[in-house]
Amino acid sequence: MAHDVHSTDPSYLEGQRLLRRSVNAPIRMAITYWLDLHDGLQPPEREQIDPTHLPSRALPYLFLLERVPAPSWRLRLVGSHVVEAQGQDFTGCELVDEQIPGISQSRTVRILNQMAETGLPGHFHGRSTFRFREDYEDHEQVLLPFRSQATGAIETVLGALVFEGLQSAFGPGATW
């Protein structure tokens, strides 16, 4: 685990920086989980993901993406907070306009494309321009890369997404 060594790996250092910048608890939990899996030399492997090692209260805010023939991504898993905020469950959908209208113009797709090339985690906190509903304020999102054991390429991404101010069964925001 990278916490025991002095790492100069850019992905690990970026993860530490994002942890210091993050505002919402589910985002911090996801980043901490990813950093704990990171070996300090390169992003963790996909096979290391085990949702049972994450706090259960973070699970509604998580989603999992897998790489499908480049340059696309498919949502494998979408937490209930994300589904509620979007008003629809996009599990199984590719991040293409034909399946999720307007997604190609989203910040998420831009971050994913950068991540596939750099291996660096991505983060955003602010006003969303890609919205399904108008009853939340800003959102915070983190995208954490996992590499393929076979190829070393980034093929899986663990994401956490908090829609701030969304009145739901989970309460407003997620700063706990």
Side-chain angles (χ1 to χ4, degrees):
M1 310 258 169
H3 294 294
D4 300 317
V5 298
H6 178 70
S7 177
T8 58
D9 175 67
S11 67
Y12 185 79
L13 295 174
E14 181 65 6
Q16 288 181 319
R17 187 181 76 77
L18 296 181
L19 184 59
R20 289 188 300 272
R21 284 183 55 189
S22 62
V23 174
N24 290 284
I27 304 296
R28 291 191 307 274
M29 289 176 187
I31 296 169
T32 299
Y33 173 74
W34 184 81
L35 287 169
D36 285 345
L37 295 177
H38 202 296
D39 66 6
L41 303 173
Q42 56 191 342
E45 294 176 349
R46 159 61 182 108
E47 292 74 18
Q48 292 177 267
I49 297 174
D50 183 352
T52 64
H53 292 140
L54 283 154
S56 60
R57 63 185 184 174
L59 297 179
Y61 303 90
L62 301 181
F63 59 95
L64 195 63
L65 293 155
E66 65 183 353
R67 188 76 161 178
V68 291
S72 195
W73 297 86
R74 176 182 300 122
L75 283 159
R76 279 195 61 138
L77 173 77
V78 182
S80 55
H81 172 78
V82 179
V83 170
E84 183 177 341
Q86 294 174 338
Q88 185 173 344
D89 186 353
F90 289 107
T91 300
C93 291
E94 288 186 32
L95 301 188
V96 294
D97 291 333
E98 295 79 23
Q99 295 185 29
I100 305 174
I103 192 72
S104 66
Q105 302 304 309
S106 72
R107 190 172 282 108
T108 300
V109 169
R110 288 193 300 270
I111 293 171
L112 285 168
N113 290 337
Q114 279 182 302
M115 181 184 302
E117 291 185 25
T118 66
L120 298 176
H123 176 264
F124 174 76
H125 186 215
R127 189 69 60 193
S128 176
T129 56
F130 178 72
R131 300 171 74 103
F132 291 93
R133 292 172 48 172
E134 297 298 323
D135 60 344
Y136 61 86
E137 297 164 12
D138 293 350
H139 77 275
E140 184 176 21
Q141 173 178 264
V142 68
L143 298 167
L144 304 162
F146 285 80
R147 61 190 167 83
S148 163
Q149 188 176 36
T151 67
I154 302 303
E155 293 185 358
T156 303
V157 172
L158 174 65
L161 183 55
V162 174
F163 294 92
E164 298 169 339
L166 179 65
Q167 296 298 319
S168 70
F170 309 109
T175 55
W176 309 316

